[in-house]
Amino acid sequence: MRESKDTKKKERLAASVMQHKLKGIMIIDLGGQILMVNDAFSKITGYPSHEVIGKDPTFLYSEREGSDLYKIMLETLYRCGKWQGEVWSRRKNGTVYPEWLSISGILDEEKQITHYVAIFSDITERKLSEERLVYLAHHDILTDLPNQRLMTERLTQAIKQAERKEKQLAFLSIDLDRFKQVNEAFGRPLGDELIITVANRLKSAVRDCDTISHLSGDVFAILLGESDEIEHTATIAQKILHLLSKPIHLDGHPIIISASIGISLYPSDGTDSRTLIGHADQAMSRVKNQGCNGYQFYSEEIGVRSLERIELKMAIRRALERNEFELYYQPKLDLKTGEITCLESLIRWRHPEKGLILPAAFIPMAEETNLIIPIGEWGLRAACEQARKWQDKGLPPLRIGVNFSPRQFQQENLVESVLSVLEETGLNASSLELEITESIAMDQVDKGIKTMNQLNQNGITLAIDDFGIGYSSLGYLRQFPIQTLKVDQSFIKNLTTNKDDAAITAAIISMAHNLNLEVIAEGVETKSELGFLQEHECDGVQGYYLSRPLPANLFEDFFQTGNYRALVTEE
Ligand code: C2E
Ligand code: MG
Ligand code: MG
C-alpha cells in the first residue's frame, strides 16, 4: 500500500517535471533508447514525441560538434553518472542550435543507474547576445570596422603566418589632419559622418583580405596582407591620399580633408605587433611635422629622432622642475618719439650641460606635448613680475609683450588664468601685451574673437606676431579686436634688396593704419631698413640694430643710458 503511494508520488513528481515549459527533457534507457520526452522537447527540436520514442538520440547530433564531444560525454556519464555542457544540436528542420545540456543517471534503491534524464535549454538568444558582445568588444560602433584590439590580434596572427611563409607585411597608421577643427566647426554628429565617409573611402582603397581598423577619433590603421611589395604599399598610400582629397559634403559645405600616413614593414621594421605599430606611428608623426598630407615609410633615422624627442620631452619636464628657464628682453623703439615704451620677453633654456638654448629648439616640442601650458604660465608670471619690479624701481611704465602659442591660447580658462597672474604679481593689465600668431586667430575664429574680446575688455593689449607669413589677410584682421601688428622679419630682411618685399611692407603699414592698428617691424638689423620704415611711417621697430634680446639686468643698463634715442634722430 505504502509503496504504491510512493510510486504515485514519484509519478506525479515526474509528470510535473516533464511539464517544464522551457526546458526540453528526454528520458533514455540503459540501451540508449528514448523512453519519454516532454512538450518543450518537441517545441525546441521540432520532433513530436511519437517520432522519437524508441530511437537512439544520435539523430539530434550535429556535425558542428566533432565526434570527440559525444565520446567524452558518454565516457563521463559512464564514470560519474552525469555530464553537462554546451552542445550544438540539430532540429528536425535541419537547423543547428546551441543548447545547454545536462544529463544525469536516475538511480534505483541499490544505487544502480536505471535511466538517464537529459535536460536542455535552447540558448540561441543568449549565444547571440554573447556573440554580439564579442563583436562589440572587437569593433568600433561608429564605422563597424575592427577596433584596436581586433587589429592587434589580426596583426599578431598575420605576423605568425608571414613568418612561416617568409612573406612581408605592411602596417599603415593613418591620422586625419585638422579633424579637430572640423569637429569643432560642424559639431560631433557631422564629424561622425565625416569619419564614416573616410572609413568607406578607405574600404574602397584596399582588398577584402586587408584589415582596416578605426582605432580612435580620427585614427585609422590598415594591415596589408602578405606578399606586398614596397611599391604596392606606396601605391595604396597614394591611392588613400587621393581618395581622401576629394571633397566631403557636410551640411551642404564641401570639406577638404587630408591625412598623414606612416608605414612600417614586417620584418624589416619590426617582428612583433607593438614595434610595428609604434614605428608606423613614428613615421606618421614625421609626416605631421613636415606639414601633413603625405605618407612616409619608417626608417631608423625616424626612430632615432623620435627617441631624441622623447628625451627632449623628459628634459623639458626636468627643466621646469629645476627652474632652468630664463627670460630675455628685447626693446621696441617708438619711431616717432625715439622712446622705448614696450619690450618683448623671449624665453631661453639655460641647460646645465648644453648652455643657452633658443626657443625654436624646444617650444615646438613643448607645444606638441602640452608642456607649453606650464612653460607659458611660468613665462607669463616671470614677465609680469619683472615688469612690476621695474615699475617699483621707478623706471617709466613699460608694456611687456608675452608670446602665446596656439595651444596656450586655446586653453579653456585662459582669461581667468591671465587675470590671476596679473593680480598675483600686481601688474596693471594695461602693461601687458599678448603676442599671438595669425593662425591662432584663424583656427577657431568665433572662439578666438570671444577670448580676445574678454582680454581686451580687461585692458590687455593684443598683437598679431609674424604677420604676413600666414593667411596674410588684412580683411580678416578687421574682425579681430587687436591693437598691434608685428610685420614678420622675413619681409624686413629683404626690404632693401627685394622690391616686392618693400612694396608689401609699405602696403601692410598703410593698410594697418587704415584699420587703426599700430605697426611694429621685427628683425630690423640695419640703418637702411630703419630708414625705409621711418619713411613709410612705421610706428615702431624691434631688432638687433636697436638691441639684441638681453637678460633683465643688462636691459636695465641699456635702458638707463638712453643712447637709443639717437637712432631715430640720426641722419
Ligand atoms: P618672435 O615672437 O617672432 O620673436 C622674435 C624673434 O626674433 C626672437 O627669436 C628674437 O631673438 C629674434 N630677433 C629679434 N631681432 C632680430 C634681428 O634683428 N634679427 C634676427 N635674425 N632675429 C631677431 P627667439 O628669441 O629665438 O624666439 C623665437 C620665437 O620663439 C619667437 O618668435 C616666439 O614665437 C617664440 N617664443 C619666444 N619666447 C616665447 C615664450 O615665452 N612663449 C612662447 N609661447 N613662445 C616664445
Ligand atoms: Mg613675438
Ligand atoms: Mg615674430
Side-chain angles (χ1 to χ4, degrees):
M1 187 66 188
R2 153 156 276 224
E3 205 168 286
S4 81
K5 223 179 174 178
D6 276 356
T7 317
K8 277 222 171 90
K9 234 182 180 171
K10 273 186 200 159
E11 275 168 7
R12 269 210 303 275
L13 193 65
S16 78
V17 169
M18 293 297 278
Q19 273 168 12
H20 203 294
K21 291 263 182 335
L22 295 173
K23 295 204 163 148
I25 300 175
M26 64 179 159
I27 295 174
I28 304 157
D29 66 17
L30 290 182
Q33 287 184 343
I34 299 175
L35 271 184
M36 205 192 277
V37 296
N38 69 348
D39 289 348
F41 171 97
S42 303
K43 215 164 156 198
I44 296 171
T45 64
Y47 289 103
S49 64
H50 67 266
E51 282 185 25
V52 300
I53 286 174
K55 285 203 177 138
D56 186 315
T58 48
F59 64 88
L60 292 168
Y61 289 9
S62 79
E63 56 279 7
R64 184 153 174 177
E65 295 296 356
S67 53
D68 277 1
L69 177 95
Y70 299 110
K71 223 168 98 191
I72 293 167
M73 186 194 293
L74 292 175
E75 274 171 17
T76 316
L77 277 174
Y78 185 70
R79 251 184 313 116
C80 318
K82 51 177 132 172
W83 180 90
Q84 63 174 7
E86 205 178 286
V87 187
W88 288 87
S89 291
R90 174 190 296 282
R91 298 189 221 268
K92 188 178 176 189
N93 65 11
T95 55
V96 171
Y97 69 99
E99 64 181 26
W100 181 258
L101 172 65
S102 52
I103 311 177
S104 39
I106 304 174
L107 306 175
D108 63 8
E109 264 106 66
E110 271 92 54
K111 304 269 186 269
Q112 290 300 311
I113 290 180
T114 59
H115 298 87
Y116 288 99
V117 59
I119 303 179
F120 59 93
S121 42
D122 184 342
I123 55 169
T124 309
E125 289 298 318
R126 197 182 86 199
K127 261 298 216 233
L128 279 178
S129 51
E130 266 173 29
E131 270 167 22
R132 178 91 193 125
L133 279 181
V134 171
Y135 184 87
L136 287 179
H138 289 89
H139 291 79
D140 162 61
I141 308 171
L142 181 64
T143 56
D144 216 23
L145 288 174
N147 63 11
Q148 178 142 27
R149 185 163 155 193
L150 184 54
M151 177 52 115
T152 314
E153 279 174 29
R154 295 234 178 119
L155 180 59
T156 309
Q157 265 170 21
I159 289 172
K160 276 190 198 140
Q161 265 185 24
E163 192 178 1
R164 266 202 313 274
K165 298 183 183 166
E166 296 188 2
K167 290 273 169 69
Q168 259 207 137
L169 290 174
F171 184 82
L172 281 67
S173 168
I174 305 168
D175 196 302
L176 301 185
D177 304 324
R178 294 174 151 259
F179 174 68
K180 208 172 146 241
Q181 276 101 311
V182 175
N183 226 4
E184 272 162 10
F186 290 88
R188 246 324 255 292
L190 289 177
D192 284 354
E193 208 175 284
L194 182 125
I195 290 292
I196 293 170
T197 310
V198 168
N200 290 334
R201 289 188 184 178
L202 291 179
K203 280 181 208 162
S204 68
V206 298
R207 300 165 305 186
D208 281 349
C209 59
D210 302 320
T211 302
I212 306 178
S213 97
H214 182 207
L215 303 182
S216 65
D218 59 345
V219 190
F220 293 85
I222 295 183
L223 166 63
L224 296 179
E226 55 188 57
S227 84
D228 282 307
E229 302 293 328
I230 288 206
E231 293 77 43
H232 172 69
T233 308
T235 314
I236 295 216
Q238 280 159 0
K239 195 167 156 191
I240 291 171
L241 292 174
H242 175 71
L243 284 171
L244 293 184
S245 70
K246 294 188 183 143
I248 296 175
H249 290 269
L250 287 188
D251 206 15
H253 301 276
I255 304 294
I256 306 282
I257 194 116
S258 63
S260 302
I261 307 177
I263 307 166
S264 62
L265 301 173
Y266 167 89
S268 54
D269 301 331
T271 51
D272 62 276
S273 56
R274 244 178 84 175
T275 313
L276 284 173
I277 295 174
H279 285 171
D281 282 348
Q282 287 174 14
M284 185 270 289
S285 297
R286 165 59 83 85
V287 179
K288 290 255 181 223
N289 291 333
Q290 289 178 342
C292 304
N293 195 15
Y295 70 92
Q296 166 91 53
F297 282 89
Y298 174 78
S299 68
E300 240 167 64
E301 188 237 1
I302 291 180
V304 170
R305 277 183 54 121
S306 52
L307 192 69
E308 280 170 5
R309 288 156 64 84
I310 294 169
E311 282 168 0
L312 176 60
K313 191 171 140 187
M314 292 195 302
I316 295 177
R317 268 213 192 97
R318 267 199 309 272
L320 266 167
E321 282 163 17
R322 297 182 190 166
N323 234 336
E324 289 169 7
F325 291 111
E326 285 176 15
L327 289 185
Y328 272 44
Y329 300 88
Q330 189 178 37
K332 298 176 206 171
L333 186 72
D334 185 317
L335 286 180
K336 289 202 187 70
T337 62
E339 290 297 332
I340 286 170
T341 50
C342 263
L343 75 172
E344 178 175 8
S345 72
L346 294 158
I347 198 165
R348 303 287 180 259
W349 176 4
R350 192 164 298 278
H351 194 283
E353 287 125 40
K354 296 179 184 154
L356 203 65
I357 303 179
L358 290 175
F362 62 91
I363 290 284
M365 183 67 187
E367 171 79 353
E368 252 175 62
T369 54
N370 249 346
L371 282 167
I372 192 68
I373 304 291
I375 293 179
E377 219 183 288
W378 175 86
L380 177 67
R381 180 167 283 113
C384 293
E385 264 167 15
Q386 185 58 60
R388 175 66 214 240
K389 266 187 209 155
W390 281 325
Q391 282 181 11
D392 290 348
K393 270 189 167 179
L395 265 69
L398 291 164
R399 195 166 72 209
I400 189 144
V402 177
N403 290 287
F404 259 40
S405 48
R407 217 171 260 205
Q408 269 176 287
F409 196 75
Q410 282 157 7
Q411 264 181 103
E412 282 310 323
N413 55 352
L414 174 88
V415 181
E416 293 83 32
S417 79
V418 172
L419 291 179
S420 78
V421 169
L422 284 173
E423 201 182 312
E424 283 164 38
T425 54
L427 188 73
N428 282 335
S430 59
S431 299
L432 179 64
E433 177 168 80
L434 296 185
E435 295 193 4
I436 60 176
T437 53
E438 282 169 275
S439 64
I440 302 185
M442 298 288 300
D443 256 359
Q444 301 165 292
V445 178
D446 293 341
K447 203 173 157 210
I449 291 180
K450 202 171 147 216
T451 311
M452 291 185 214
N453 273 326
Q454 285 172 342
L455 291 165
N456 258 198
Q457 280 154 12
N458 282 290
I460 297 162
T461 311
L462 291 169
I464 295 280
D465 204 353
D466 303 342
F467 184 77
I469 54 168
Y471 296 84
S472 304
S473 164
L474 274 166
Y476 250 111
L477 285 184
R478 213 184 294 271
Q479 301 183 50
F480 301 138
I482 50 166
Q483 289 73 43
T484 308
L485 205 64
K486 299 187 73 180
V487 183
D488 190 68
Q489 30 181 294
S490 57
F491 294 99
I492 311 302
K493 199 159 80 193
N494 303 321
L495 209 52
T496 47
T497 50
N498 183 317
K499 282 208 179 85
D500 288 344
D501 283 357
I504 292 170
T505 307
I508 292 177
I509 296 171
S510 84
M511 282 157 83
H513 283 160
N514 277 339
L515 293 172
N516 272 335
L517 299 174
E518 178 195 39
V519 188
I520 305 286
E522 295 186 282
V524 177
E525 293 186 358
T526 64
K527 196 176 163 184
S528 53
E529 286 162 3
L530 186 106
F532 178 96
L533 293 160
Q534 240 176 335
E535 207 177 296
H536 289 85
E537 296 187 329
C538 185
D539 302 289
V541 292
Q542 186 182 343
Y544 295 169
Y545 186 60
L546 171 67
S547 163
R548 287 186 173 258
L550 301 167
N553 56 344
L554 293 185
F555 170 75
E556 239 174 276
D557 297 345
F558 169 85
F559 188 69
Q560 305 285 15
T561 61
N563 289 344
Y564 51 84
R565 290 196 186 97
L567 290 177
V568 287
T569 48
E570 258 175 25
E571 274 312 305

